[in-house]
Amino acid sequence: MIITPTDPTASGAATTGATGTPGDATGTGASLPTDQMGRDTFLKLMVAQLRNQDPMNPTDSTQFLAQTAQFTSLEKLEEVAKQSGQALAAQMAFGASGLVGKQVSYTAEDGTEASGSVSAVKFTANGPMLTVGDADVPINSVTSVGSTPDSTPAESTPAS
């Protein structure tokens, strides 16, 4: 029996190579959601595989090494994805804070176009919210950004 932590044809659910269908860790045809499959489940399946193998015909050790390497790769990819998400959140926060004092156009909740000057930024679980006048505007609703009319540089006169 070969355990693989993910099977691309089973939407990330673990599979057993000897029994059951893709996504079936029990051989009953029932599949578990991806969020229920993790390190503990993989290790439990691997230990069960070791306990239940035929002592007269043990599983090849290279299969266990390959499974462990595949599982380690999956863990590292999950870690990279998490760090990428954190980097994106930081970049969005930095970008949103740079909009304070800028004139923005955005799509309002009722679908109309509106505009105004950004006076503040709130950081919520759903991402940055810009305060434009009395409205809280999600950053993904912004359609254009420009400088405010009163922030244009004054004409300089040459010094004499």
Side-chain angles (χ1 to χ4, degrees):
M1 175 179 2
I2 298 173
I3 300 172
T4 56
T6 60
D7 179 359
T9 61
S11 301
T15 63
T16 58
T19 62
T21 57
D24 179 12
T26 63
T28 62
S31 65
L32 297 172
T34 303
D35 60 348
Q36 291 183 359
M37 300 300 293
R39 176 190 328 208
D40 293 337
T41 304
F42 177 77
L43 293 175
K44 286 177 185 176
L45 287 170
M46 193 171 199
V47 168
Q49 179 180 357
L50 285 170
R51 270 193 234 160
N52 296 318
Q53 69 179 330
D54 181 6
M56 301 308 272
N57 185 17
T59 305
D60 185 15
S61 63
T62 58
Q63 289 180 352
F64 286 114
L65 289 174
Q67 291 170 11
T68 305
Q70 186 178 20
F71 182 70
T72 302
S73 296
L74 178 64
E75 281 188 319
K76 295 299 178 189
L77 285 173
E78 288 174 347
E79 187 177 322
V80 167
K82 180 181 175 184
Q83 290 175 351
S84 295
Q86 291 171 342
L88 176 62
Q91 185 177 7
M92 289 208 35
F94 182 72
S97 63
L99 294 176
V100 174
K102 300 283 186 177
Q103 185 76 16
V104 295
S105 297
Y106 61 94
T107 305
E109 289 181 9
D110 61 1
T112 61
E113 287 293 317
S115 64
S117 180
V118 178
S119 60
V121 178
K122 297 176 189 171
F123 300 101
T124 68
N126 295 330
M129 295 286 281
L130 307 175
T131 303
V132 181
D134 293 336
D136 285 336
V137 179
I139 195 165
N140 60 355
S141 295
V142 174
T143 57
S144 67
V145 178
S147 59
T148 56
D150 59 353
S151 67
T152 56
E155 287 188 34
S156 59
T157 56
S160 5

